[in-house]
Amino acid sequence: MSFWEKLVNFISQSAGTVLTGVVEAVRTLFEGDPETRRQVAFSVSLIALSAKMAKADGFVTLEEVNAFHEIFEIPEGERRNVARLYNLARQDTAGYEAYARTLKNLCSDGEEGCPLLEEVIDGLFHIAKADGTVHEKELEFLAHVAEIFGISEARFTAICARHMDLGERDPYGVLGVSRSDDFKTIRSRYRALVAENHPDRLIARGVPKEFHAAANDRMARINAAYEAIERELKAA
């Protein structure tokens, strides 16, 4: 029996809300295996919150479904179990705020400023923008979840800039720097972002390897932003 099947069966048989079942399942099934537990916690958080985001937005597009499968290269035989988890979360009476608060603890395990939570927000953006735009209700949802996660406004703005056109704050916003910063500061920030997004660092944080498609998209945007700033400053 795969861990997805175990997870869904455990949740389906547990008492209380789906959210309670999710937390109990992750902690019970993967006790003693912290690496797998963090990866599963990340995956479950992204699946559950994407389901709640779809509910907040009111509809799910084919492009968003494809983006979801692009992030999680789910084997054909497991898609039914993942779809069951998605639908259970979407139909749960608990609001998305309750999900965000509980999943924050599940992902961070009490760690303040947990990078894994930023990865969840980044993944949700990747899904939300798949139909060509991040809709107002989706952005409102993402901003509130980020606030619950304890992600600063500056960090959230930088994540936004990687996925949305923010006018004059882009490409500087992508790197999380200011137009008044000197090139040495900008280059230092760029190198830090490259190091943060190295596949080995992602795996160490608990990001499943299947999520690297979204991470590659993020790195492409970071590289493009740095190159644009470099060209602008050389031309000045």
Side-chain angles (χ1 to χ4, degrees), residues 5-20:
E5 192 171 356
K6 287 180 183 177
L7 190 68
V8 173
N9 285 343
F10 188 106
I11 294 165
S12 300
Q13 294 165 14
S14 66
T17 67
V18 173
L19 180 56
T20 302

Side-chain angles (χ1 to χ4, degrees), residues 178-195:
S178 168
R179 287 180 177 272
S180 61
D181 289 334
D182 59 33
F183 186 64
K184 183 179 179 181
T185 300
I186 293 170
R187 183 173 57 198
S188 176
R189 175 60 182 155
Y190 165 71
R191 288 175 174 172
L193 285 171
V194 170

Side-chain angles (χ1 to χ4, degrees), residues 128-165:
K129 72 178 183 182
D131 60 356
T133 185
V134 177
H135 298 278
E136 184 179 348
K137 287 185 178 179
E138 289 174 326
L139 185 58
E140 188 178 301
F141 172 94
L142 290 162
H144 195 192
V145 171
E147 183 181 357
I148 292 170
F149 280 178
I151 295 171
S152 71
E153 187 176 342
R155 294 291 286 183
F156 181 69
T157 299
I159 297 171
C160 283
R162 291 200 290 262
H163 298 282
M164 302 169 63
D165 182 6

Side-chain angles (χ1 to χ4, degrees), residues 105-127:
N105 295 330
L106 186 64
C107 263
S108 65
D109 212 14
E111 177 187 352
E112 286 297 322
C114 176
L116 198 58
L117 295 171
E118 289 195 23
E119 297 288 349
V120 172
I121 294 293
D122 205 71
L124 290 171
F125 261 110
H126 189 79
I127 294 167

Side-chain angles (χ1 to χ4, degrees), residues 5 13 31 34-35 41 43 59 66 68 85 128 183 205-206 213 230:
E5 192 171 356
Q13 294 165 14
E31 187 177 10
E35 182 177 345
S43 300
F59 59 91
N66 290 338
F68 182 86
L85 177 58
F183 186 64
R205 290 205 291 267
E230 189 175 35

Side-chain angles (χ1 to χ4, degrees), residues 15 22-23 33 39 47 55 93 141 158 166 173 177 200 204 233:
V22 165
V23 175
D33 187 355
Q39 291 186 1
I47 291 166
K55 189 172 182 179
T93 56
F141 172 94
L166 298 181
V177 296
D200 290 344
L233 294 179

